[in-house]
Every structure is written in structure tokens, then in C-alpha cells.
Amino acid sequence: MRLEYCTGGAFSSRSPGGVKRGPMLRPLAVAIALAALAACARPGPARSPNVMPPGTARIAVVPFRTAGAPGAEAGGGGEGVPADAGPAAARMLAAHLAETGMAVVDADRVLGAWSLADTTAYDPRVAAHVAEKVGANLAVLGTLSRYRERQGTAWAVEAPAAVAYEAAVVHAPDGALLAVDRFEYAQQALTENLLQLPRFVESGGRWLTREELLDQALARTAERLARALGAPPVRR
């Protein structure tokens, strides 16, 4: 199902290196948008990103859906994504959101509530229900559509790691979609693309594992989502 966003809170974090920038409000191509269903079909009024008064936001990050899950669309070449990568991505994002100063529900508590929910569907309605169960008024859900491990070592590879995901913030009381971030990137050697210099330096001039690449990307996503929700920028 392809679905138009209902709010202006979406933005893109695609890498400039070898990846095309898409329209900022194009439809989600993967299963998380099943639903902007709740946001578009029967929500309350559309909201702007800064709907939460400072200090009132409390976030629950539910496990990401993976491309290998039943009914999920494969992305990035149709590669399967391990099921355990979904909870791992949620833990990473929750930790990075906490680093921005946002109030975040413990990842184990959210995972426990998620395991008790009716998760045959993956949509904002279910995520919002889980968030309310753990005392949060915001839910973050996402789809990890590509999670390819590097083939080689930190200093020489046959194929680099590649990651692609989308994450969305939902206002739990009414299911409104507040913000969306997307990321898609395969690491490139500096000799292949000089535009990769900042990433090359950040990675220590080596080839990252898929877990390292995902963690770095989710740190940036956390900062963008926090800003979209009105949190002040964190000084590094």
C-alpha cells in the first residue's frame, strides 16, 4: 500500500553519496506507512511537528519491522533482514533519543509491552497503543528494509555494508503522524567519491560493519526527530 503523508513534518536524511534525493513528502515505500492509515483515515486534526510543549514528550520506540517479516516489502535489492535487527534498531534509536535529552521509556519495557500486543499488524495504531501502555504519549516505529553486512575487514572489503530504513513519530492519543526520517547508504571508499570525506573521517578511514553504520545513522535520526519535536539542539 502506498500512502501520502498527512502532515508537513516529514523530512529526508538520504546520503548525498550515490543516492538520489527524493521528494520530501513522497509516500513511504515500506510497511510502516501501512499506515499512515491511522493518521490519514481517522485521526484528529493534522498537527505540526512542534505539537508537544517542552518537557511533556515521552517516547516509546517499538521494534522496527524488518524486510524479512511476513507481509513486509523487501527493499534495497530484496535482501532479507534478520528479525532480531528490528529490536536492535529500536534499542539504538531509543538510546540516541535519550542522549538528546528526550524522555524515553526503557527499551526492555517497551519490548515487553510489544510482545503482549497484537502485532500481526504493524501500524501507528498498534504502536500508539503500546506507547500508552508504557506511559508514553509518542511512539516511534520504523522499517529496516536493508541491512547488508560488509564482506571483508575494516581495511579491505569485497562489498561494503549497506543500510536503509524509515522511521516515523506518532502522537499516541490520536495517531497523528508528526515526523518521518529516512536513511539509505552504502559506504564508499574515498577514492570513489570525494564527497564522502566527512563520513570517511568519521568512520576512522575504515570500512564499517552494518551495525556501526546503523548506529551512526540512527544517532543523526534521533537528533532530527528531537528537533522536529521542539527539543533544543544538543551541544557536542
Side-chain angles (χ1 to χ4, degrees), residues 1-232:
M1 177 182 297
R2 298 180 69 82
L3 190 47
E4 296 288 344
Y5 295 142
C6 298
T7 120
F11 46 89
S12 173
S13 65
R14 289 194 169 211
S15 161
V19 179
K20 284 188 176 181
R21 290 183 176 273
M24 296 181 77
L25 294 182
R26 69 182 184 182
L28 281 175
V30 285
I32 69 166
L34 254 182
L37 69 97
C40 296
R42 288 177 297 196
R47 296 172 178 268
S48 65
N50 296 317
V51 296
M52 305 301 299
T56 65
R58 184 169 171 80
I59 303 173
V61 184
V62 305
F64 277 40
R65 188 167 192 173
T66 61
E73 297 179 26
E79 302 156 343
V81 177
D84 61 359
R91 288 178 185 278
M92 290 179 191
L93 182 53
H96 288 306
L97 283 168
E99 289 170 358
T100 70
M102 302 293 292
V104 181
V105 178
D106 179 75
D108 287 334
R109 188 179 173 198
V110 176
L111 184 58
W114 181 259
S115 67
L116 297 175
D118 177 12
T119 53
T120 53
Y122 191 90
D123 57 40
R125 177 187 60 81
V126 176
H129 176 71
V130 170
E132 291 182 325
K133 284 289 186 182
V134 297
N137 51 12
L138 296 176
V140 179
L141 68 164
T143 294
L144 183 59
S145 55
R146 193 176 195 188
Y147 195 49
R148 186 184 71 199
E149 185 57 282
R150 73 185 183 200
Q151 296 178 25
T153 69
W155 312 112
V157 296
E158 295 178 12
V163 168
Y165 65 79
E166 293 175 326
V169 181
V170 177
H171 188 238
D174 58 16
L177 185 65
L178 303 184
V180 176
D181 190 35
R182 58 175 58 86
F183 177 87
E184 182 176 351
Y185 180 70
Q187 192 177 12
Q188 297 180 20
L190 185 59
T191 53
E192 296 177 21
N193 189 343
L194 288 175
L195 293 176
Q196 297 303 303
L197 180 59
R199 289 182 183 272
F200 182 83
V201 172
E202 183 177 284
S203 64
R206 61 189 179 85
W207 296 99
L208 301 175
T209 65
R210 63 183 179 181
E211 183 177 0
E212 291 170 330
L213 181 56
L214 178 62
D215 188 55
Q216 286 188 10
L218 287 172
R220 293 191 179 98
T221 289
E223 292 176 356
R224 280 186 286 269
L225 294 181
R227 286 199 301 269
L229 295 170

